[in-house]
Structures are given as structure tokens and as C-alpha cells.
Amino acid sequence: MIRQTDMNSFERRNKILDLVNTQGSVMVLDLSNAFDISEVTIRADLRFLEEKGLVTRFHGGAGKPGSNLAESDNQEVKLEERYQLASDPKKRIAQAAAAMINEGMTLILDSGSTTLLIAHELARMANITVITNSLPAACALANNKDITLVVCGGTVRHKTLSMHGTIAEHSLQGISADLMFVGADGIDATNGITTFNEGYSVSGAMAAAAHKVIAVLDATKFNRRGFNQVLPMAEIDCVITDEGISDKDKTSLKKTGVELKIV
């Protein structure tokens, strides 16, 4: 975790700019988690970088200058378009995840930006059951009458708009799902997947309810380590990531016995 006290605003903005140039675009929520500071501060950083002509802001994030899909602040961008702006690797990962799903399956979606992209892919499907603690994912799926949607109860974590706590965990008892999709802030072969957030224990209850657990993480998440473990590698069956993953990380991950899909 990169704490606010560990770097000044100049260093943080340079880090953000590096991420934009590397990934094509960034989301406010992801940056807030990565730097462990408020979304208000991140938006101020992006506003500063935009004023310098270094990024173009859109609703929920920022991209490289002149991005075709970016909109000005006074224009509304559809939720799906915001996440298409987030980065192509996440979109490819979501599509690969959706390709694993067949009619009749029961799925669990944890909260997060990549799992929300999966929800948008699922929204066009029929005869599946989706269980989620993510309110944005639930909204993305709610209009499809051919999907059985189950939303976990619990306490809303406002930062991620997701349900957590004892009630959420109890709502998963007795559930038997085919697949669970989970994202995280970091992954490494020793510690598994980790997060900078609190309220992560619901992920363990989700994993326990699924026959197969699939971690969906873009290559930038490798060798980042949050302070809370979401799931150890022993509980993860498959990792879907993008071609930005290094050979070293590929080797380390394969040694754990996990299935690795690169898109």
C-alpha cells in the first residue's frame, strides 16, 4: 500500500501519470485504493493533471489526452462506457471470463471494477443465476428477466458500493455455485490475492460456496500487496490476466498449480 504520508502530491501525480501512460486510462476508485487516500484527493490530482494538458478526465477516471470516448465533466457517460474507458486489458479479461459461462450455471460475482465489466457481459445472457454483493453489478443485471439475480444482504460499503458484514456472509450459507469471479488490488504467488480495503472477509464466504474460483486481475496487479489477504493461492483455481504479465510472474504462478489464462 502506498500511504499518503509516504509521498507528496508531486510524486503521487507523477505515479498517476505513469499509470495513465502505461494503461491508457485509470479509474478514481482504483487510484483511491492504491494510494490509500480519498477519492476527493484523487479527483483533485486528475483535475490538476488535466489543467496541465497531461490527461483527459471522464466521469469516474481519466485517460490519455484527446481520448475519443472521454467526455467533459458536464456530460453524463453511461456506466458501461466508463469501464470501457478504464482499459482494454480489463475488457478482454471480462470477455474471457464470460466465455467460461454456460446456460444453467450459477455464478458468484464479488465487487470490483473488473467483475462489474463481467456483469455487463452477463447482462446479454439467459438462463443463468448470478449472486453478487455488488450494487452496480446488480443494477447492470436487474433489467434482464432471463437472469435470476440474487443480491447479498448486509451493510453497504460506500467506497465500493458493495455489501459486507455478517449478514452478507450468512446469506451465502447453503449456496452451491459453479463459478466465483473475484478481483483484487494485488496478487503474488506467496500471499495470493490481497486488497487495501476492509470488509474483505465476504470473499472467503463466496469462495467456499463455489466449485471453482477465478481471479480476474490485469497485469498491473502482480507483485502489489495489499494489507488484507482476500484469498490464498490454495483457494484459487484459475487466474485470468492480460499479456502484460512478466515471464517471472508466469513461472511463479504456474508453480502454484493454478490455471493461468492470458488474454
Side-chain angles (χ1 to χ4, degrees):
M1 176 178 59
I2 308 172
R3 292 189 179 275
Q4 168 79 355
T5 53
D6 293 334
M7 64 168 57
N8 59 36
S9 59
F10 175 80
E11 293 171 324
R12 187 178 63 251
R13 288 164 182 171
N14 277 334
K15 289 279 187 183
I16 292 171
L17 189 57
D18 286 342
L19 288 171
V20 170
N21 289 331
T22 301
Q23 300 175 200
S25 57
V26 292
M27 301 302 290
V28 170
L29 177 59
D30 291 340
L31 294 175
S32 175
N33 289 336
F35 292 100
D36 193 33
I37 56 176
S38 71
E39 293 181 27
V40 172
T41 301
I42 292 296
R43 289 191 185 95
D45 287 341
L46 295 178
R47 191 178 304 114
F48 175 87
L49 293 171
E50 184 177 51
E51 289 171 355
K52 298 295 183 182
L54 300 172
V55 304
T56 299
R57 286 191 300 153
F58 54 83
H59 192 99
K64 290 182 178 180
S67 174
N68 289 334
L69 289 177
E71 301 280 347
S72 63
D73 282 349
N74 61 353
Q75 291 177 298
E76 182 63 24
V77 182
K78 291 181 180 178
L79 191 60
E80 185 172 3
E81 292 172 341
R82 295 177 203 167
Y83 281 87
Q84 286 174 344
L85 285 167
S87 71
D88 287 339
K90 287 187 178 184
K91 184 70 173 175
R92 294 198 305 271
I93 290 167
Q95 290 170 340
M100 300 175 70
I101 298 162
N102 300 315
E103 279 197 33
M105 279 189 169
T106 296
L107 329 164
I108 298 176
L109 282 183
D110 204 347
S111 61
S113 58
T114 306
T115 50
L116 178 55
L117 281 171
I118 296 173
H120 283 287
E121 294 293 326
L122 301 183
R124 295 185 284 270
M125 295 186 179
N127 192 27
I128 59 173
T129 297
V130 181
I131 303 163
T132 186
N133 70 327
S134 167
L135 297 181
C139 288
L141 296 166
N143 289 328
N144 187 336
K145 295 179 181 179
D146 295 320
I147 292 176
T148 299
L149 176 62
V150 180
V151 183
C152 298
T155 303
V156 175
R157 186 175 190 274
H158 292 283
K159 189 174 182 180
T160 55
L161 292 177
S162 54
M163 311 302 290
H164 295 272
T166 304
I167 296 173
E169 292 167 34
H170 284 177
S171 69
L172 292 157
Q173 291 181 0
I175 296 295
S176 179
D178 296 289
L179 305 174
M180 175 209 177
F181 295 100
V182 57
D185 293 316
I187 180 173
D188 64 78
T190 302
N191 299 287
I193 56 175
T194 55
T195 182
F196 299 111
N197 293 324
E198 298 176 356
Y200 55 91
S201 58
V202 69
S203 302
M206 290 178 166
H211 292 293
K212 186 172 185 178
V213 176
I214 300 137
V216 287
L217 303 138
D218 64 84
T220 64
K221 304 296 177 65
F222 280 82
N223 295 309
R224 290 180 61 196
R225 184 177 176 183
F227 54 81
N228 286 322
Q229 185 184 59
V230 179
L231 293 172
M233 288 306 303
E235 294 183 24
I236 300 169
D237 300 292
C238 175
V239 172
I240 305 177
T241 190
D242 64 85
E243 56 195 10
I245 184 175
S246 69
D247 290 339
K248 181 180 178 181
D249 288 329
K250 287 181 196 175
T251 301
S252 297
L253 209 57
K254 286 179 178 178
K255 284 180 180 178
T256 68
V258 71
E259 179 186 359
L260 179 61
K261 292 189 175 187
I262 300 173
V263 296

